[in-house]
Amino acid sequence: YKSILRPDTQNTARGLVINDTETVFTTANPDLKPEYADNFEARVEYYFEPVGLISGGIFYKKLKDVQVTLQTIFDNTNVPEDVLAAGYTAADLIARSAQYNRTVNGPDTDVWGYELDYNQQLSFLPGHLKGFGVFANYTYTNPEEEFFFTGGSGVPKHAVNAGVTYKAQRFSGQIKFNWLGKRILATPGYSINPFTGQVVLGTVNATTGVQNPNAANSGRIDYEKERLQIDINLDYQLHRRATVFLNIANATGAESIRYAVKEANLIRHGGFGAKYTLGVKGSF
């Protein structure tokens, strides 16, 4: 099937967002074009007793005019007019290692991968143990060009979800394990040449297309380290219309570690702890 991703309004409507704390500038691109994709998917599923499923699938996407948000370090050749008009100078931006974000269209690229699933209710076990169930999922994603799959939490090459469920009369619960491999978050040391559409080292003058491979932080790539998060969900039905629940997100307090090029160059070490939610939900 074919699909289309139209640009977000915030990425096309003229405007400039300035983060003075981190000295990051974000501007829109009125010339941003929609992203198109040709998608191919195939899956095989096998159902078995008691209440089980094993499946595997493969996917391939051919992308045209892929929308990618580049994070670039300023130098003397690439400071946009709207940033200068806001009262900043190139020398000041360079001294502060300021960064500039903009969503542009990249060259054609593709991504492929596969997914493996297992899900089974362990109803063959004796007594109360028959209420247990298990599930697991593994996804492998292999983009032709990793630079085009950044932003947000990035796209990990390896991802695993697994867990145990339990249901007995009015009680139900789930423990879920989510592991994400290392992934790219931003590529401030690279740019896309607006004239050729190719990824280049360093920065590019948007007016002339002249490349500066020796710009500050040239070749820099920002990563997020692999991370395992454990979530717990518990429900108890008080009445057919009311259920008390307890949800624990990130039960072990897994940390988020972001770094530039190698782990020694730490960008952020985030410790968020666990989040507990206790409440009652009803249906009417």
Side-chain angles (χ1 to χ4, degrees), residues 216-276:
N217 286 284
S218 184
R220 171 178 162 183
I221 301 176
D222 295 346
Y223 296 92
E224 176 147 9
K225 188 178 179 180
E226 64 273 6
R227 183 170 184 249
L228 172 64
Q229 179 170 321
I230 301 176
D231 300 329
I232 301 174
N233 306 105
L234 305 173
D235 289 348
Y236 184 79
Q237 190 175 28
L238 298 173
H239 181 270
R240 66 187 181 90
R241 295 188 179 276
T243 301
V244 61
F245 66 90
L246 171 64
N247 296 330
I248 306 175
N250 195 22
T252 60
E255 299 171 329
S256 171
I257 299 176
R258 299 184 175 186
Y259 58 91
V261 184
K262 55 184 180 180
E263 292 186 32
N265 302 325
L266 190 66
I267 296 175
R268 187 188 76 179
H269 189 157
F272 307 104
K275 178 182 178 181
Y276 298 82

Side-chain angles (χ1 to χ4, degrees), residues 25-37:
F25 298 80
T26 303
T27 188
N29 178 8
D31 297 322
L32 190 63
K33 294 181 290 186
E35 174 183 317
Y36 293 89

